Amino acid sequence: MKKLSQSVSYEVKDGVAVLTTDNPPVNAMSYHVRQGLVDGMEMAQSDEDAKAVVIHCEGRTFFAGMDITEFGNPDVPDSPWITGVIEAFEGSSKPVVAALHGSTLGGGCETALGCHYRVAVPSAKLGQPEVKLGIIPGAGGTVRLPRVMGVQKALEMMVSGNPISAGQALAVGLVDEIVEGDLLSGAIAFANKVVSENRPLVKIRDSDQELEEARENPAIFDDFRKSIARKTRGFKAPEAIIQSVEAVVRLPFDEALQNERRLFDECQNSPEAKAQQYFFFAEREAKKIPDVPKDTPTREIKKVGMIGAGTMGGGISMNFLNRGIPVTIVETTQEALDRGLGIIEKNYASTAKKGRITEDDVKKRMSLLTGSLELEALSDVDLVIEAVFEDMDVKKSVFEKIDKICKPGCILASNTSYLNINEIAAVTSRPQDVIGLHFFSPANIMRLLEVVRGDQTSKEVLATCMKMGAGIGKVAVVVGVCRGFVGNRILAARMRQSDDMLLKNAMPQEIDRVVFDFGFPMGSFAMRDLAGLDIGWERDKTPDKDTNIRHQLCTRGRLGQKTGGGFYDYKEGSRTPVPNAEVEQLIEEVSRNAGITRKEISPEDMLKRMIYAMVNEAAKILDEGIAQRASAIDVIWVYGYGWPTYRGGLTYYADQIGLNNVVEDLERFVKEYDDPELEPAPLLRELAKEGKSFRDFVRLDHLEA
Ligand code: NAD
């Protein structure tokens, strides 16, 4: 075996040159990989012992993409670039076969497309996830992929950014053969077959039959645009991918390639891509807890107990059942239990009806679910999650009981949205095992999990819950104890602004419009109509009900979507909010009752008041150490509340605006709208004064803890 670079080696096996890359952890295409591959191809061309070439990777995957640590690093040589590697493969005088396993992604997938043939193990996945970083495949992916699988399928794959399985890849011609058993031997055997059968050197660049359909039916592009419009609103890369593929259909290969490059550069230099790339790292960072090292011991979660089979209890349970973990749900009455279990089964049945899981899956999952009316049924579980009513006394009484019932080492978690975890932990004999696990609704779908670290929560319990969260597909973010934790506390700050503007300045549709246009899926009032206006209405302590718009709507039976109207009207079967003139009159009347003369407000100020109030709250949260770092707040808002990723995140956005500008506007709002709540937080003022950003803020005491 000959070493060509620090990561690539060359040897001839059974008459085939094998170029093996070993660049842990994911065989990213770093400079030394590219150089080794190009040198290896040159060697193979003149090697009389080699009739073909196999490109193979050690470790857990074929090339999983480019080396992102090299991006923007001036010390890394430009040449050979990935396109040079692809040209070396495609231009080879001997057949080149890619042997795929693991995740063949991004530049890795484009590299595989440069080979004449591709074989894969059944578990392999292939994908072009660039769109998730705000860019498009930039090494021929948009130009070659449609030539293999047709325009429609290629667009779907590149615009979703989601990988396809080896089986799907075989069906669309992206893979030529599935190798059962040892991949390298299978790839060598395949290469020898290509040679002995005298098969052609298939260069994807030369074939364009698959483009024919789109040439005859150019409407395919606009139809596709319409089909993704809602999901990709505000993002730049999906449209750039479509434009590139449109050009592929029209232009010769090399011109299309140049066009792809131009669109790639445009995307790469856009604020959207910078924001998305920032967010990519923010999400990774969220997993790190400064004082809880990676090797902190964790406990095994083999059985879960759920208390409460309501909206949250049911949804949370599904996460575990989906992963084959048995769940026991405890309720207070048979009726509530039957209802809860029934909803879970109905949910699974409807997913099966859509073809996303099989009937067999439904049976398996339901067989892991047990219901009980006795907390004693939880004596042998490893984790209990309480999701009963949001009432401190009820929660305390539940925790007192389970503390006595659950085995030592069992983690006792609460799904509370607002309550103090320390207070709950204090009623148990094991506060070190108590933690908050704040799931979001619908809990079987929403990715965010706020992991609430109590004063006494042990590192082992925290590490276990972070691992468990990732294991059930959640994005787990550590937060500290305060009312509403990070997400809901910031949401409350935005709601206070929208409520104040509703009373003094603008109608629900005007306020919601700016939030929607900013990139959120919906505004505050549409969101409240969705959740139901009566949540917490009974407990609403507002002294003067005449000046409370929610109260006025609720007493009129306008409880939101479920009653056909709340802040808006909803036509039967529709979720589209329609403004209602009577509601507008009611709002004006409430303002009059409160002695308020309504004043116009510009959309710019509306947006700034809501967003900057959130930024201000974020600064307080950071200062108090409730979030570990600014980027954690951004991850929470993207995954929990639909903050548009192409704007990076709340604190990233504020940094782009400039914290001094945010402070200046907040000071103006305090005066203009007579709102002391918008008084800039001390940390915000301090950072602004020093010309710093949220990214400069690191709580050292946290790191030293
Ligand atoms: P829910 O009213 O739908 O369900 C609560 C269930 O708990 C009911 O079925 C009730 O019968 C049961 N219950 C009450 N006391 C019990 C006891 N002592 N033992 C066993 N079961 C008992 O409420 P939900 O919306 O599922 O909320 C539950 C918790 O989750 C609350 O703390 C809430 O703040 C939190 N939460 C809710 C949401 C949401 O959007 N609904 C989101 C995140 C967190």
Side-chain angles (χ1 to χ4, degrees), residues 306-314 316 330-333 336-337 339 375 386-391 394-395 397-398 401 414-419 437-442 488 535:
M306 194 68 233
I307 310 179
T311 313
M312 295 307 285
I316 297 171
V330 177
E331 257 292 349
T332 45
T333 64
L337 184 61
R339 186 169 10 102
L375 286 170
E386 163 279 310
V388 304
F389 305 129
E390 185 76 343
D391 180 304
V394 178
K395 298 214 189 260
S397 126
V398 167
K401 288 183 195 142
S414 173
N415 180 49
T416 177
S417 313
Y418 292 94
L419 302 176
L437 290 177
H438 184 212
F439 288 83
F440 285 68
S441 181
N488 281 345
I535 293 185

Side-chain angles (χ1 to χ4, degrees), residues 464-536:
T464 303
C465 288
M466 293 299 283
K467 190 173 161 198
M468 176 282 293
I472 58 170
K474 300 292 174 196
V475 176
V477 187
V478 185
V479 299
V481 176
C482 67
R483 191 168 165 73
F485 315 118
V486 171
N488 281 345
R489 180 169 157 185
I490 292 177
L491 180 68
R494 187 180 90 185
M495 297 264 248
R496 282 193 293 273
Q497 289 305 311
S498 46
D499 279 354
D500 193 66
M501 291 190 289
L502 188 70
L503 193 61
K504 298 175 184 162
N505 311 103
M507 289 299 154
Q509 62 273 21
E510 294 166 319
I511 302 170
D512 279 358
R513 164 59 56 187
V514 295
V515 175
F516 179 81
D517 287 349
F518 183 78
F520 280 100
M522 63 179 86
S524 304
F525 299 106
M527 201 170 85
R528 277 199 258 176
D529 273 357
L530 178 68
L533 297 190
D534 52 336
I535 293 185

Side-chain angles (χ1 to χ4, degrees), residues 595-606:
I596 289 164
T597 313
R598 295 176 67 85
K599 261 196 324 203
E600 289 248 322
I601 181 171
S602 70
E604 293 75 39
D605 272 9
M606 274 197 260

Side-chain angles (χ1 to χ4, degrees), residues 612-625:
Y612 293 1
M614 291 164 68
V615 172
N616 210 25
E617 200 64 42
K620 293 176 195 167
I621 281 173
L622 264 184
D623 208 9
E624 292 165 26

Side-chain angles (χ1 to χ4, degrees), residues 301-347:
I301 307 289
K302 285 196 278 195
K303 266 185 176 177
V304 172
M306 194 68 233
I307 310 179
T311 313
M312 295 307 285
I316 297 171
S317 298
M318 291 173 76
N319 289 291
F320 294 99
L321 301 173
N322 296 350
R323 299 293 191 289
I325 301 171
V327 177
T328 302
I329 305 194
V330 177
E331 257 292 349
T332 45
T333 64
Q334 191 63 43
E335 196 194 341
L337 184 61
D338 290 345
R339 186 169 10 102
L341 299 184
I343 292 174
I344 296 181
E345 185 155 26
K346 230 172 84 188
N347 268 337

Side-chain angles (χ1 to χ4, degrees), residues 139-189:
T142 69
V143 192
R144 286 192 180 86
L145 213 49
R147 289 181 146 82
V148 178
M149 60 204 296
V151 163
Q152 179 72 26
K153 291 203 172 74
L155 284 175
E156 282 166 14
M157 182 161 152
M158 292 188 285
V159 169
S160 73
N162 296 330
I164 61 172
S165 66
Q168 289 167 315
L170 180 74
V172 296
L174 187 52
V175 157
D176 300 286
E177 195 173 279
I178 302 283
V179 176
E180 306 282 350
D182 181 62
L183 174 62
L184 182 56
S185 320
I188 293 173

